[in-house]
Amino acid sequence: MVDVAQEPVSPGRSRLMAIFTLMMGMLALPGMNAAPALAAEAGSWAVTLPRGPLLTTPGRSESTPELRSPAPENVDGGRITRISWRYEVSADRHAVRAWLCHPRRCVALASGRGGTRRFEGLPADVPFVLRFRRDETASSSIRIGRVQLIVNYR
């Protein structure tokens, strides 16, 4: 048997050690390091169309088909945090106006690529559409090319 000499421990240090040991034990309890149960799991869904609508008539709006989550059961009541989009334009991109529409609101898009938090908090499991309008200044029809939408949610 080995005899171990111990230094005397002051009452203040002893109390600190007891608190430290108690806290370390609490951290080791199952689930203490997990995220709170109230926090929803983050996710995203994306959809890509090989091409969008053809804009033939100036001033007339054309829309994409509804853009939905490919697996709506995975969204399960999630709320939007951020949305990103991308679309291509065959001709003069300045002659095209575009909007991203959720059933509750539409947001004008300043360019063919970007992101927004303007839909934050709205349901992520509903369909979106992109609406496009050809300006009067365009001299010919304009084809909207590949369209992509990414919806991040929590």
Side-chain angles (χ1 to χ4, degrees):
M1 186 158 135
V2 177
D3 199 21
V4 178
Q6 294 185 351
E7 294 181 18
V9 178
S10 69
R13 184 172 175 201
S14 176
R15 191 173 317 145
L16 278 174
M17 288 301 291
I19 292 170
F20 177 77
T21 303
L22 179 64
M23 289 178 67
M24 292 307 290
M26 287 177 61
L27 289 175
L29 290 174
M32 288 299 289
N33 291 328
L38 297 176
E41 190 171 325
S44 67
W45 60 266
V47 64
T48 302
L49 301 176
R51 68 181 182 168
L54 179 63
L55 308 178
T56 58
T57 307
R60 181 175 163 192
S61 292
E62 300 289 341
S63 298
T64 63
E66 290 185 338
L67 306 172
R68 297 178 174 270
S69 168
E73 66 278 2
N74 293 343
V75 178
D76 193 26
R79 298 292 180 172
I80 297 168
T81 55
R82 184 176 192 337
I83 296 181
S84 300
W85 71 87
R86 180 183 301 182
Y87 63 86
E88 298 169 354
V89 179
S90 66
D92 182 13
R93 81 176 103 206
H94 301 291
V96 174
R97 301 186 82 194
W99 296 265
L100 175 60
C101 297
H102 179 276
R104 294 195 186 165
R105 78 174 58 125
C106 290
V107 172
L109 306 180
S111 68
R113 180 179 189 168
T116 184
R117 292 189 181 276
R118 302 260 322 266
F119 296 98
E120 191 167 14
L122 295 178
D125 57 353
V126 298
F128 285 84
V129 295
L130 272 94
R131 284 190 4 227
F132 300 93
R133 185 181 313 146
R134 178 182 146 199
D135 283 346
E136 304 287 336
T137 61
S139 59
S140 62
S141 297
I142 299 174
R143 166 63 71 188
I144 302 300
R146 184 173 180 241
V147 174
Q148 183 178 46
L149 184 70
I150 300 170
V151 176
N152 296 298
Y153 61 90
R154 181 171 302 276

